[in-house]
Every structure is written in structure tokens, then in C-alpha cells.
Amino acid sequence: MSDPNAPDNSSEVREIRINPIVPSESVLVATARSMRPKKAEELAPRDTRKHVETCPFCRGNEHKTPPVILSWPADGDWQIRMVENLYPVLGDDREQANFNFGLQQTIDGYGRHEVIIDHHEHGIAVQDMAESHLAALFGVYQARMQQLFASDERLKYVLVFKNFGPAAGASIPHTHSQVIAMPVVPENVDAEVKNSAAYYAKHHHCIFCALIDEALTFEATIYDRNSGAVRRKINVGQYVVERGEKFIAIKPFASRYEWEVHILPLAHQADFLDVRGEDLADLARVVKRTMARLDAVIGGAQYNFFLHSVPHGGTDSKQGAPYAASYHWHLEICPRTSIPTGFELGSGLFVNTINPEQAAERLRAVDL
């Protein structure tokens, strides 16, 4: 494992990069900040044991969790298991009316909050899971999302996410994901959807597809107009971290986190529910290899990953573009290698201390 914070030989970068999907979101890339004195970040403790007697998520301790919602396989020993979250952020156990009082207003906190136990082995990492198991896990995500949308028309969005490590919000070390179904579309997803629809209305093309095309075909050299010196070179594949037959892993040009990677279907697809079962194997392979690259470079990373898919039942009539044509589902992997500062919290401007181009190069260089 290499030191992810080690200085590099590339030129110092200090620039504000605009997120092409949501232009109101900006990232300050300031590589000199990586040289400032700071206490080394502690790696997330990895409990690699296969079984822990006291863990409620380990096989044999099923009585320590709420009743099972979904289990895979349906017969025999389970490999993946879903239960209700004991401490839900949303629930359907009670219903209260919305109210408005002057500028104050509320929406009933209705929804579902569930836990997916990703694997029966307590400490197995995503990159160590079999591709067939990961494909099944994504299939479970898909099946439960479909069930939740069909169960109640009030549910507008289902978010699937995974936290690993205390800094990422994980409270139980046994590998698990979570599903939250909610009556509103999250603000960040809504911003992606509306900006994508605006781009489509203007260019008649999905902006995510355009970014994939750029990553695979675009090449340019930018020169200083006075001296003629090369200011920047953009090479084909510079932001590509991993590629399969159906999916691609890309380092965002405006990465909020130093080692952030997004995984997208190569062909346009707005809804994760539309991924064919046979294509989940390729998604699993790309995810597994991407996580292996991240682990090799920053090992023990605490991270979040989450699925952004098209909200259900919506079109943007103002833009006249159906979301199915303008949006593109994706998986965002966000390793948490630093703690947000007062500047970031106060300004809303993420600070990235590692050049995204160099980060992508280091991830690609991992020998798998």
C-alpha cells in the first residue's frame, strides 16, 4: 500500500473546478494543502474475523435482529439478509399530518429504513467478495427498490447506500448496506435531475453520456498564448479508472473527495431497476476491481457509496424532457480520507488536496 498523502512531482494545482452536472457545486483543488502539517488519519479498524459470537448480523444470531424481510437464497443458509433498522430515520409506524406555521413547515417523516446484511462473513471486504455474490447483492438492492416503489405511491425515492468505518457513519463492523425509502426526492438528487434535464433540453443529449464520451475519446493540449508553453494536456482515458463490457469507473474532474470514483453504465440508462440480470455480473466485476484499486492505494479507507437513480413518476414539464432520456443512474464511491474543515462547512466548497488526474493515474497503475 502506498502513502496516499505522499507529495508528488506534478505541478502545484490551485483552481476551482465546476461540477458539470450541478454547476452550483464547486470543488477547490489545492494540492499544496496536502503538504500542511497535520496528524495522520487513522485507518478504519478492519475486523477480518469470519464470525463473531456477539454480532447480531452474523449467521446463527438471527434472533437478535428484527424479522427477516428478504433473504438470498430463499432456501438453505442465507448469504444476504435484509431486516428493518432498529433505529430508523423514517418509518411507517405512525402517521401525522403535515403543517405550516408561518415560514415553518413539516412533511410527515413517513418511509422505510432497512438494513441489508451484505454477507454472512463478518469482516469480509467488498473487494474480497466473489463477483457472483456482488452481482446477487446488487440484485437484492434492485428487488427491494422495486418492492418499495410498488408498495406505496407516496414513496418518491429509494436510496441505497453503504457506510464503512466510524468516519463514514458505520456503527456496526459487520459488512452491511442500508435502504431508505422516502416521500421526497433528496435535494442533491433533485439538483442532478433538473440540471440534467436542462442540459438535455438544450443539447438533446444526456450530460452523463457526454462525460463518458469525453473520457473515452477526448484529447487536447492547451498552450500559454504568450510563451507557447504547454499549460495542460488532457489525454484519452485520463479519468478512467476501470472499464468492463457494460460499465465504467471514472474519476470525476471536479472530485469532492480525494479518491472519489463514479461507476456508470456505458449505455444510457436512467433507472437502476432497468439493469438486466445478466449485466449485474459486469457491474459486480467493475465494483470489485475498483474497490481493490482503492484498497491498494489507500488501504483501510473509510468510505460511503450510494446509488443515484431516477426518481419515480417524474418528468420536468418546464424543460419538456422526460427524465428517462436526460438522467443516467450511477454509483458514487466516496472514501473519507479527511474531515471537513470550517471553510468547507461555511462555504459549501469542497477542498480536494490531490490532483484528480494524478489520483486516477495511481488507481489505474495498481496491478490486480
Side-chain angles (χ1 to χ4, degrees):
M1 181 188 71
S2 59
D3 180 4
N5 297 313
D8 59 74
N9 296 321
S10 60
S11 300
E12 179 183 323
V13 176
R14 184 167 59 246
E15 60 190 16
I16 294 176
R17 298 188 176 188
I18 309 301
N19 179 350
I21 308 297
V22 184
S24 61
E25 293 183 359
S26 303
V27 174
L28 173 57
V29 178
T31 57
R33 291 282 292 172
S34 65
M35 302 299 294
R36 73 191 191 281
K38 63 177 181 177
K39 181 181 177 181
E41 300 289 344
E42 294 184 3
L43 298 179
R46 277 288 308 277
D47 185 348
T48 57
R49 291 175 292 177
K50 291 187 175 182
H51 185 272
V52 176
E53 195 64 37
T54 57
C55 173
F57 290 174
C58 280
R59 190 185 286 167
N61 292 340
E62 290 81 4
H63 62 285
K64 295 183 178 181
T65 69
V68 65
I69 296 171
L70 185 154
S71 184
W72 179 85
D75 301 315
D77 290 336
W78 61 267
Q79 300 293 324
I80 302 169
R81 189 168 180 265
M82 173 179 281
V83 298
E84 288 187 14
N85 194 308
L86 280 175
Y87 308 100
V89 297
L90 295 172
D92 60 359
D93 55 332
R94 61 180 182 177
E95 185 173 343
Q96 59 189 37
N98 305 339
F99 80 86
N100 297 309
F101 180 70
L103 296 177
Q104 320 303 323
Q105 58 181 308
T106 70
I107 298 174
D108 181 29
Y110 173 84
R112 301 280 298 180
H113 188 176
E114 301 165 348
V115 175
I116 298 176
I117 304 168
D118 298 338
H119 200 285
H120 72 90
E121 289 189 18
H122 179 82
I124 191 170
V126 167
Q127 64 269 15
D128 295 326
M129 295 181 189
E131 289 180 17
S132 58
H133 184 96
L134 277 174
L137 179 60
F138 282 105
V140 169
Y141 291 168
Q142 198 178 53
R144 189 53 180 164
M145 289 172 69
Q146 184 71 65
Q147 291 169 359
L148 287 167
F149 278 129
S151 71
D152 196 320
E153 63 181 10
R154 291 176 296 175
L155 297 175
K156 305 301 182 187
Y157 199 77
V158 178
L159 179 68
V160 177
F161 64 97
K162 180 177 178 64
N163 305 330
F164 175 77
S171 57
I172 293 181
H174 191 123
T175 181
H176 67 283
S177 310
Q178 298 182 60
V179 177
I180 296 182
M182 59 196 82
V184 296
V185 178
E187 189 275 337
N188 59 341
V189 176
D190 188 59
E192 288 183 352
V193 167
K194 289 180 176 176
N195 281 282
S196 300
Y199 181 92
Y200 185 89
K202 184 176 181 180
H203 300 283
H204 310 290
H205 189 65
C206 166
I207 190 170
F208 292 90
C209 290
L211 288 171
I212 293 172
D213 289 343
E214 283 190 359
L216 294 175
T217 64
F218 189 76
E219 187 172 25
T221 302
I222 302 172
Y223 300 91
D224 184 274
R225 66 170 63 184
N226 295 316
S227 67
V230 174
R231 293 181 57 190
R232 176 171 296 177
K233 290 193 68 174
I234 300 173
N235 300 317
V236 172
Q238 188 171 13
Y239 297 99
V240 177
V241 172
E242 184 67 47
R243 180 178 176 177
E245 293 182 6
K246 303 287 185 178
F247 295 90
I248 190 169
I250 294 177
K251 185 85 180 72
F253 171 77
S255 295
R256 299 160 297 177
Y257 302 95
E258 281 87 349
W259 302 99
E260 179 178 3
V261 178
H262 294 184
I263 296 176
L264 309 90
L266 282 161
H268 179 77
Q269 192 169 54
D271 197 338
F272 175 67
L273 298 185
D274 291 336
V275 181
R276 298 180 303 177
E278 58 266 32
D279 291 342
L280 290 175
D282 190 63
L283 173 61
R285 180 177 183 273
V286 172
V287 170
K288 177 182 171 73
R289 289 176 63 85
T290 300
M291 293 303 298
R293 292 181 186 281
L294 287 165
D295 186 67
V297 174
I298 57 176
Q302 305 184 61
Y303 65 88
N304 307 101
F305 76 47
F306 40 88
L307 271 168
H308 278 181
S309 186
V310 69
H312 270 223
T315 59
D316 191 342
S317 58
K318 182 182 296 185
Q319 300 296 341
Y323 294 161
S326 60
Y327 194 66
H328 201 118
W329 78 263
H330 54 284
L331 178 73
E332 300 187 15
I333 304 172
C334 300
R336 307 297 289 271
T337 53
S338 62
I339 298 172
T341 65
F343 172 76
E344 290 168 290
L345 296 174
S347 68
L349 187 68
F350 283 86
V351 177
N352 186 338
T353 62
I354 298 176
N355 184 338
E357 291 77 30
Q358 194 213 15
E361 183 179 359
R362 292 176 65 181
L363 290 171
R364 281 195 305 273
V366 174
D367 186 16
L368 296 180

